[in-house]
Amino acid sequence: MNLLLIAVGGCAATNIRLVLEKKRIPVTRIDVNVKGQRRAAVSTLMESTEPWETVEIGFDVGVGGNVAAHEETVRRVVEASVERYCGVHKTLEHGIPRMTWSARVGA
């Protein structure tokens, strides 16, 4: 779970930095705090979920620097970076349609 949170937080922070640089908004610091919680699996007659289907993730993003004059733009960039541009978030949001694996013994 911790690696998943690190991946989604790092992805969002990278996108935020790249977009703000393109907009020439001076940023000295980006702090991303990510918290996640896995709810218990549910199994009833009407519903069934697995633990990996019930992960909730919350973001708290702080942007430092001379950004006060660009507050609304920074907010929009943070939202877009997390919701639209972060590939890790998109993968989690839509699920992984198929995963394959192989094993090499004695390789």
Side-chain angles (χ1 to χ4, degrees):
M1 177 75 161
N2 288 339
L3 290 176
L4 178 66
L5 298 176
I6 291 168
V8 75
C11 181
T14 300
N15 287 318
I16 292 166
R17 165 78 64 190
L18 290 172
V19 174
L20 290 177
E21 283 177 358
K22 284 183 182 179
K23 293 183 175 288
R24 301 194 189 281
I25 296 175
V27 175
T28 58
R29 187 184 87 256
I30 297 176
D31 299 322
V32 178
N33 294 310
V34 185
K35 292 184 180 180
Q37 181 176 349
R38 183 181 297 142
R39 293 180 285 155
V42 175
S43 184
T44 66
L45 291 175
M46 300 297 291
E47 167 183 30
S48 178
T49 62
E50 298 291 338
W52 59 85
E53 295 175 316
T54 56
V55 174
E56 295 176 358
I57 297 175
F59 284 86
D60 177 49
V61 179
V63 179
N66 190 12
V67 296
H70 309 282
E71 183 176 352
E72 187 57 36
T73 300
V74 171
R75 288 182 187 281
R76 283 195 313 268
V77 167
V78 168
E79 178 184 4
S81 293
V82 173
E83 295 288 333
R84 289 193 302 244
Y85 302 135
C86 177
V88 177
H89 178 267
K90 287 205 160 296
T91 299
L92 294 172
E93 182 178 54
H94 298 293
I96 300 171
R98 179 172 164 81
M99 184 176 291
T100 62
W101 64 274
S102 65
R104 292 182 291 128
V105 179

